Amino acid sequence: MTDQGTRNLNWCAALLDGLIAGGVATLVLSPGSRSTPVILAAQRRAELAIEPILDERSAAFYALGLATAANRPVALLATSGSAPAHWLPAVIEAAQSGRPLVLISADRPPELRGWGANQTIEQGELFVPFARECHDPGPATDDPAALKMMRALGARAAAVARGPHPGPVHINLPLREPLVPEETLAPPAAQHRPTPPPPPAAWHGGAPDPHRAEQARALLRGRGLICCGPDAARPGLAPRLWQLAEHLGVPVLCDPLSGLRFGPGSPARIARYDGFLRNPGARAQLRPDWVIALGRAPVSKTLLGWLADVPTLRIDPAARWSDPNHDVALLLDADPAACCDWLAERLDPAPRDWLAHWQQAERRVEAIAAEHLAESPWCEPQLLATLLAHIDPGAGLFSANSMPIRQLDTWAGARATPLRLFCNRGASGIDGQASTLAGLNAAGVPCHGLLGDLSLLHDLSGLQLLQRLDRPCVVLNNGGGRIFDYLPQQGVEGFERLWRTPPPLDIGAVARAHGLTHHAVTGAAEFAASLAREDAAGIIEVRIDAERSRAVHQTFWSRLHEDTRLFE
C-alpha cells in the first residue's frame, strides 16, 4: 500500500507534468512545510527551474516580472495560512495587466478547516475576484484516473493563464501528513506528457459578421485616430498598423507602454500628445470623430479625459472592456493585425490635412521641450534623456508608477531605437517594484530600473534580489509622494505628514545593508559618470530638488497652454 508521503509526491508530480507541458519552466517558491510535496516533485524535474525567495510578496512580484518578460506562465508556490495572502498585490496586478501566473497554495486537508487547527484558514477563495479560474482538487489519492486528472489540471491551468484572456490561475492543494515519503524514491519512468489544449483562436482573417461590419463602417467616418495604450503591440502588428494609419491619413497615439513608441515607426506615430492637448486651441481643432483603441487605458490622464464622449471601436482578442470613459460602441474580439488589414480595405481616408495638423503639433511640442529644458535647471526630464540614451538598443527599462512613468510619458517622445519599457500599470501600485525588476532581468531582459524613494521603501525585501543584476536601479529621492504636489490635495492641512509622507530613509545605508553598491548624485555630470562606471550595478540615488522640479514642469505646461503656434 502506498504511504501518504508517496501519494502526495505522485499527486504533485502529476500536476507539475501538466504545467510543464503547458509551458511552465520556472517555479518561484517561498519556504514552508505544507508545500514540501510540491518541492520534492519539482526537484525531480530537470526542465523546471526552482527559484526560492523568502518573502512571499517579493516572490510574487518576481514571478510577475518573469512572466511579463518571457510571456509564458510562471508557477508560484507558498505554504498554508497567511503565506499566499501576501501574493495579493501581485495577483491583482497580474489580473489587471494580463500576466500568466499559476498560483499553487499548499493547504491543510478538509478535516482541519474550521476546527481551529494551526496555520489553517479558508484560502481556496483568496483570489476569486482576480483569478481566471480557481481549483481545489482535494487531498491526494493514488487512483490512476485521479492522477490523469491532475496532469490535465496542470495543462489546463497553464493554457488558461496564457490564453486569450491571460492572467492568474489558482490551484489550492490540501495535503495530508506525512508530507515526506517513507523511503527515497527513484525518479519515475518516462511517462506520456499531455499536450496542453491550445487557447481559443481569435479571428485571424476574413471579416466579422455582416452586422458588425456594417456597424464598423457606420462608426468610422470622418476624422479619426488610433490610440494604442499599454500592451497594444503584438507580433506582426506594427507594420500593418502603420500601413492602416498611412492609408487612412490618421495619427497613431502611442502610449510609452504600448510597445510602439520606441523602434521603427511611421510618420503617423505621435508621442507628444500629453503636451499639445494641454493647449485649448489644439484640443478643439484636433477633436476626432472616432477612435480605434488597442491595448489598455493610456498613462496620460490628459489624453483619456480629452477622448471622453468620442465613439470608439475597440480591438481586443480577449474581449476586455478596457473602457473607463464608457465610449466603446463596438468591440471586435479579433486579432489586431488581421483587423487592421480588414479596416484598410473598407474605410475611406480622412481629409488630406488631418494628419499634417497632428504632425505639426508634435514638432512644435518637441521644439518647445528642447528649448525649455535647455533653459531649465537639471531635474527629471534631463535625467531621463541621459538614461534613455545610455540604455542599449533593445534593452529594457522598468519604471515605477506615480511620477516616473508620467514623466517618461511627457518627456521621452518617440525614437527609432528600440526600447522595452515595463511598468506594473495594471493596478498602478507602487509595491513590489524591485522584485519585479529582478524578475524581468532573470527572464533574460537586460533591464535598468527607475524607482522613487517610496517605491524602494515598499519593497525592501526585494533589494536582496537586486544583487543578481548587472545594471543599476536609479532611485529618485525627492522626499516622498511628490505626485500629490500636482493633485488637489496639495496645500491642505496636514499635507506633508498625511499625503507626501517623506520617508526617513538613508538609501545608502539600506543599499549597503543588502550588499549593493550605492552612488549618490545631484547633477548631470555625476549621473552620467555613475551610469558609465564598471560597478554601476546597485543603486544610483539621484537627489532631486522637488520644488525646482515642480517649477520646471508647471512652467512647461503653462508655455504649452499659451502657445499660439501649436495649431495654425
Side-chain angles (χ1 to χ4, degrees):
M1 181 177 177
T2 305
D3 69 273
Q4 185 61 48
T6 301
R7 194 176 298 125
N8 289 335
L9 176 62
N10 292 337
W11 187 251
C12 295
L15 176 68
L16 293 183
D17 282 348
L19 289 173
I20 292 168
V24 173
T26 304
L27 174 68
V28 179
L29 64 89
S30 298
S33 175
R34 189 63 53 164
S35 54
T36 294
V38 183
I39 300 173
L40 293 176
Q43 287 180 312
R44 295 152 62 87
R45 297 303 299 269
E47 63 270 61
L48 186 67
I50 301 175
E51 289 278 5
I53 294 176
L54 177 64
D55 181 340
E56 285 86 2
R57 186 174 76 161
S58 182
F61 277 103
Y62 180 85
L64 180 74
L66 285 173
T68 299
N71 194 29
R72 64 187 298 171
V74 173
L76 190 60
L77 174 66
T79 193
S80 64
S82 63
H86 292 282
W87 291 342
L88 184 58
V91 172
I92 292 172
E93 175 62 32
Q96 295 295 101
S97 57
R99 307 303 186 209
L101 293 181
V102 178
L103 317 170
I104 306 173
S105 56
D107 198 358
R108 260 53 177 181
E111 60 268 21
L112 295 183
R113 299 177 195 163
W115 292 96
N118 180 54
Q119 202 174 323
T120 306
I121 66 170
E122 292 297 334
Q123 60 189 57
E125 297 185 356
L126 272 175
F127 309 113
V128 164
F130 309 107
R132 302 295 184 256
E133 290 187 355
C134 297
H135 299 276
D136 189 329
T141 73
D142 51 11
D143 177 18
L147 293 176
K148 179 182 178 183
M149 177 275 295
M150 287 298 284
R151 293 188 189 95
L153 177 59
R156 170 177 170 170
V160 171
R162 76 179 201 287
H165 188 27
V169 174
H170 181 205
I171 300 173
N172 190 58
L173 290 180
L175 296 164
R176 291 191 172 107
E177 295 181 347
L179 302 171
V180 178
E182 293 178 1
E183 298 180 4
T184 302
L185 300 179
Q191 299 176 354
H192 170 67
R193 310 290 188 199
T195 301
W203 168 59
H204 286 287
D209 63 76
H211 175 65
R212 292 203 297 178
E214 184 58 35
Q215 281 183 294
R217 281 192 292 265
L219 180 67
L220 306 178
R221 291 176 176 171
R223 308 186 311 175
L225 61 84
I226 302 171
C227 181
C228 294
D231 295 328
R234 289 172 173 265
L237 172 64
R240 292 150 88 176
L241 176 68
W242 305 136
Q243 184 178 12
L244 171 64
E246 292 170 23
H247 168 72
L248 297 180
V250 300
V252 181
L253 279 56
C254 294
D255 185 271
L257 298 170
S258 66
L260 296 162
R261 187 183 280 197
F262 309 110
S266 159
R269 178 166 62 185
I270 301 294
R272 301 277 184 173
Y273 48 81
D274 184 77
F276 57 73
L277 291 178
R278 296 173 185 268
N279 180 277
R283 288 175 66 90
Q285 295 295 336
L286 295 176
R287 182 77 172 173
D289 299 313
W290 53 262
V291 175
I292 295 174
L294 298 93
R296 293 180 285 110
V299 167
S300 172
K301 188 176 181 180
T302 301
L303 172 61
L304 189 62
W306 177 74
L307 288 176
D309 301 322
V310 179
T312 301
L313 181 151
R314 170 160 287 281
I315 304 171
D316 191 328
R320 291 169 294 193
W321 286 92
S322 182
D323 181 26
N325 288 335
H326 312 300
D327 291 320
V328 171
L330 180 61
L331 175 66
L332 295 182
D333 50 343
D335 173 68
C339 206
C340 286
D341 294 344
W342 180 81
L343 291 170
E345 295 173 359
R346 288 162 174 82
L347 300 182
D348 296 325
R352 292 183 60 185
D353 60 349
W354 174 239
L355 178 56
H357 290 317
W358 286 85
Q359 293 166 330
Q360 172 189 318
E362 178 92 343
R363 291 190 296 268
R364 180 62 183 154
V365 172
E366 192 164 352
I368 293 173
E371 180 181 305
H372 181 70
L373 294 183
E375 300 168 351
S376 299
W378 188 84
C379 57
E380 294 96 335
Q382 297 95 332
L383 176 152
L384 291 174
T386 302
L387 178 59
L388 293 176
H390 175 80
I391 296 174
D392 296 332
L397 172 64
F398 175 75
S399 171
N401 276 299
S402 200
M403 287 302 291
I405 189 60
R406 288 175 170 85
Q407 289 167 333
L408 276 162
D409 190 18
T410 297
W411 300 106
R415 70 181 200 188
T417 306
L419 170 72
R420 299 187 68 181
L421 182 61
F422 301 95
C423 181
N424 287 342
R425 196 66 190 165
S428 299
I430 67 168
D431 46 357
Q433 307 290 292
S435 300
T436 305
L437 171 62
L440 290 166
N441 278 272
V445 179
C447 205
H448 285 68
L450 180 66
L451 274 57
D453 47 2
L454 290 186
S455 294
L456 186 77
L457 183 62
H458 263 271
D459 194 18
L460 288 181
S461 62
L463 297 190
Q464 289 287 330
L465 303 175
L466 295 189
Q467 296 177 14
R468 310 177 185 185
L469 273 58
D470 60 0
R471 283 165 172 75
C473 178
V474 178
V475 178
L476 304 176
N477 186 355
N478 55 9
R482 288 293 173 169
I483 192 170
F484 294 109
D485 291 1
Y486 301 86
L487 298 178
Q489 293 88 345
Q490 203 273 338
V492 303
E493 183 178 355
F495 174 72
E496 182 79 3
R497 186 171 71 90
L498 301 177
W499 280 272
R500 187 183 284 162
T501 59
L505 188 67
D506 184 335
I507 293 177
V510 167
R512 289 188 289 273
H514 288 84
L516 299 171
T517 61
H518 169 261
H519 304 288
V521 303
T522 58
E526 291 176 294
F527 181 61
S530 293
L531 287 174
R533 292 175 62 115
E534 291 185 2
D535 63 343
I539 289 177
I540 300 177
E541 176 190 357
V542 184
R543 295 169 182 168
I544 298 289
D545 185 324
E547 292 304 318
R548 185 171 63 188
S549 172
R550 184 169 183 265
V552 169
H553 285 81
Q554 297 282 26
T555 304
F556 176 62
W557 292 328
S558 295
R559 290 182 65 171
L560 294 175
H561 183 273
E562 298 166 4
D563 190 82
T564 58
R565 295 172 55 192
L566 266 172
F567 193 91
E568 297 174 343

Short mmCIF file of all heavy atoms in Angstrom, two decimals, residues 133-158:
data_model
loop_
_atom_site.label_atom_id
_atom_site.label_comp_id
_atom_site.label_asym_id
_atom_site.label_seq_id
_atom_site.Cartn_x
_atom_site.Cartn_y
_atom_site.Cartn_z
N GLU A 133 -9.38 31.32 -13.09
CA GLU A 133 -10.01 30.11 -12.60
C GLU A 133 -9.44 29.77 -11.23
O GLU A 133 -8.29 30.12 -10.94
CB GLU A 133 -9.78 28.91 -13.54
CG GLU A 133 -10.50 28.98 -14.86
CD GLU A 133 -10.36 27.70 -15.67
OE1 GLU A 133 -9.61 26.79 -15.25
OE2 GLU A 133 -11.00 27.60 -16.73
N CYS A 134 -10.24 29.09 -10.39
CA CYS A 134 -9.78 28.60 -9.09
C CYS A 134 -10.13 27.12 -9.00
O CYS A 134 -11.25 26.71 -9.34
CB CYS A 134 -10.46 29.36 -7.96
SG CYS A 134 -10.10 31.12 -7.89
N HIS A 135 -9.15 26.32 -8.53
CA HIS A 135 -9.36 24.87 -8.44
C HIS A 135 -8.89 24.37 -7.09
O HIS A 135 -7.86 24.80 -6.57
CB HIS A 135 -8.56 24.15 -9.54
CG HIS A 135 -8.96 24.53 -10.92
ND1 HIS A 135 -10.01 23.95 -11.59
CD2 HIS A 135 -8.44 25.46 -11.77
CE1 HIS A 135 -10.13 24.49 -12.78
NE2 HIS A 135 -9.19 25.41 -12.92
N ASP A 136 -9.67 23.42 -6.51
CA ASP A 136 -9.28 22.71 -5.30
C ASP A 136 -9.55 21.24 -5.56
O ASP A 136 -10.67 20.76 -5.39
CB ASP A 136 -10.08 23.20 -4.09
CG ASP A 136 -9.56 22.64 -2.79
OD1 ASP A 136 -9.03 21.51 -2.80
OD2 ASP A 136 -9.68 23.31 -1.75
N PRO A 137 -8.53 20.48 -6.00
CA PRO A 137 -8.77 19.09 -6.39
C PRO A 137 -8.92 18.12 -5.23
O PRO A 137 -9.16 16.93 -5.45
CB PRO A 137 -7.53 18.75 -7.22
CG PRO A 137 -6.47 19.63 -6.64
CD PRO A 137 -7.15 20.90 -6.25
N GLY A 138 -8.78 18.60 -3.98
CA GLY A 138 -8.91 17.72 -2.84
C GLY A 138 -7.60 17.04 -2.49
O GLY A 138 -6.58 17.19 -3.16
N PRO A 139 -7.61 16.26 -1.40
CA PRO A 139 -6.38 15.56 -0.96
C PRO A 139 -5.91 14.54 -1.98
O PRO A 139 -6.68 14.06 -2.81
CB PRO A 139 -6.81 14.89 0.35
CG PRO A 139 -8.00 15.66 0.82
CD PRO A 139 -8.72 16.09 -0.43
N ALA A 140 -4.64 14.19 -1.88
CA ALA A 140 -4.01 13.29 -2.84
C ALA A 140 -4.57 11.87 -2.72
O ALA A 140 -4.84 11.37 -1.62
CB ALA A 140 -2.50 13.27 -2.61
N THR A 141 -4.75 11.24 -3.88
CA THR A 141 -5.09 9.82 -3.95
C THR A 141 -4.15 9.16 -4.94
O THR A 141 -3.47 9.84 -5.73
CB THR A 141 -6.54 9.61 -4.40
OG1 THR A 141 -6.65 9.89 -5.80
CG2 THR A 141 -7.51 10.50 -3.64
N ASP A 142 -4.11 7.82 -4.92
CA ASP A 142 -3.23 7.11 -5.85
C ASP A 142 -4.02 6.44 -6.97
O ASP A 142 -3.54 5.54 -7.64
CB ASP A 142 -2.36 6.09 -5.13
CG ASP A 142 -3.18 5.17 -4.22
OD1 ASP A 142 -4.43 5.18 -4.33
OD2 ASP A 142 -2.57 4.44 -3.41
N ASP A 143 -5.25 6.87 -7.18
CA ASP A 143 -6.09 6.36 -8.26
C ASP A 143 -5.54 6.84 -9.60
O ASP A 143 -5.33 8.04 -9.78
CB ASP A 143 -7.52 6.87 -8.05
CG ASP A 143 -8.45 6.45 -9.16
OD1 ASP A 143 -8.11 5.52 -9.90
OD2 ASP A 143 -9.52 7.09 -9.30
N PRO A 144 -5.25 5.96 -10.57
CA PRO A 144 -4.72 6.40 -11.87
C PRO A 144 -5.59 7.45 -12.56
O PRO A 144 -5.07 8.37 -13.19
CB PRO A 144 -4.67 5.11 -12.68
CG PRO A 144 -4.51 4.03 -11.66
CD PRO A 144 -5.32 4.48 -10.48
N ALA A 145 -6.89 7.32 -12.44
CA ALA A 145 -7.77 8.31 -13.06
C ALA A 145 -7.59 9.68 -12.41
O ALA A 145 -7.65 10.72 -13.08
CB ALA A 145 -9.23 7.86 -12.96
N ALA A 146 -7.37 9.68 -11.09
CA ALA A 146 -7.16 10.96 -10.39
C ALA A 146 -5.84 11.59 -10.79
O ALA A 146 -5.74 12.82 -10.96
CB ALA A 146 -7.21 10.73 -8.88
N LEU A 147 -4.79 10.77 -10.96
CA LEU A 147 -3.51 11.32 -11.41
C LEU A 147 -3.62 11.87 -12.83
O LEU A 147 -3.03 12.91 -13.16
CB LEU A 147 -2.43 10.23 -11.33
CG LEU A 147 -2.06 9.76 -9.93
CD1 LEU A 147 -1.04 8.62 -10.01
CD2 LEU A 147 -1.51 10.90 -9.09
N LYS A 148 -4.40 11.20 -13.66
CA LYS A 148 -4.64 11.71 -15.01
C LYS A 148 -5.33 13.08 -14.94
O LYS A 148 -4.99 13.99 -15.69
CB LYS A 148 -5.48 10.71 -15.79
CG LYS A 148 -5.82 11.16 -17.20
CD LYS A 148 -6.71 10.13 -17.92
CE LYS A 148 -7.09 10.62 -19.31
NZ LYS A 148 -8.01 9.66 -19.98
N MET A 149 -6.31 13.18 -14.03
CA MET A 149 -6.98 14.46 -13.84
C MET A 149 -6.01 15.56 -13.41
O MET A 149 -6.08 16.69 -13.88
CB MET A 149 -8.09 14.30 -12.80
CG MET A 149 -8.85 15.60 -12.46
SD MET A 149 -8.05 16.64 -11.20
CE MET A 149 -8.15 15.58 -9.75
N MET A 150 -5.06 15.23 -12.53
CA MET A 150 -4.10 16.24 -12.06
C MET A 150 -3.20 16.71 -13.19
O MET A 150 -2.87 17.91 -13.28
CB MET A 150 -3.26 15.68 -10.92
CG MET A 150 -4.03 15.54 -9.61
SD MET A 150 -4.65 17.12 -8.97
CE MET A 150 -3.15 17.82 -8.30
N ARG A 151 -2.79 15.78 -14.08
CA ARG A 151 -2.00 16.21 -15.24
C ARG A 151 -2.82 17.14 -16.12
O ARG A 151 -2.33 18.17 -16.60
CB ARG A 151 -1.54 14.99 -16.04
CG ARG A 151 -0.54 14.11 -15.30
CD ARG A 151 0.04 13.02 -16.20
NE ARG A 151 0.83 12.08 -15.40
CZ ARG A 151 0.37 10.96 -14.91
NH1 ARG A 151 -0.89 10.58 -15.16
NH2 ARG A 151 1.15 10.18 -14.18
N ALA A 152 -4.07 16.79 -16.33
CA ALA A 152 -4.94 17.63 -17.15
C ALA A 152 -5.17 18.98 -16.49
O ALA A 152 -5.24 20.02 -17.16
CB ALA A 152 -6.27 16.92 -17.39
N LEU A 153 -5.28 18.99 -15.15
CA LEU A 153 -5.47 20.26 -14.43
C LEU A 153 -4.27 21.17 -14.62
O LEU A 153 -4.42 22.39 -14.84
CB LEU A 153 -5.70 19.98 -12.95
CG LEU A 153 -5.84 21.21 -12.05
CD1 LEU A 153 -7.00 22.08 -12.49
CD2 LEU A 153 -6.00 20.79 -10.59
N GLY A 154 -3.05 20.61 -14.54
CA GLY A 154 -1.86 21.43 -14.78
C GLY A 154 -1.83 22.01 -16.17
O GLY A 154 -1.55 23.20 -16.36
N ALA A 155 -2.14 21.15 -17.18
CA ALA A 155 -2.16 21.64 -18.56
C ALA A 155 -3.22 22.71 -18.75
O ALA A 155 -3.01 23.72 -19.43
CB ALA A 155 -2.41 20.47 -19.51
N ARG A 156 -4.39 22.49 -18.13
CA ARG A 156 -5.48 23.47 -18.25
C ARG A 156 -5.09 24.80 -17.60
O ARG A 156 -5.32 25.87 -18.17
CB ARG A 156 -6.74 22.91 -17.60
CG ARG A 156 -7.87 23.92 -17.45
CD ARG A 156 -9.11 23.27 -16.88
NE ARG A 156 -10.11 24.26 -16.51
CZ ARG A 156 -11.35 23.96 -16.18
NH1 ARG A 156 -11.76 22.69 -16.16
NH2 ARG A 156 -12.20 24.91 -15.84
N ALA A 157 -4.51 24.74 -16.41
CA ALA A 157 -4.13 25.97 -15.71
C ALA A 157 -3.15 26.79 -16.53
O ALA A 157 -3.27 28.02 -16.64
CB ALA A 157 -3.54 25.63 -14.34
N ALA A 158 -2.15 26.11 -17.14
CA ALA A 158 -1.17 26.83 -17.96
C ALA A 158 -1.83 27.42 -19.19
O ALA A 158 -1.53 28.55 -19.59
CB ALA A 158 -0.04 25.89 -18.36
#
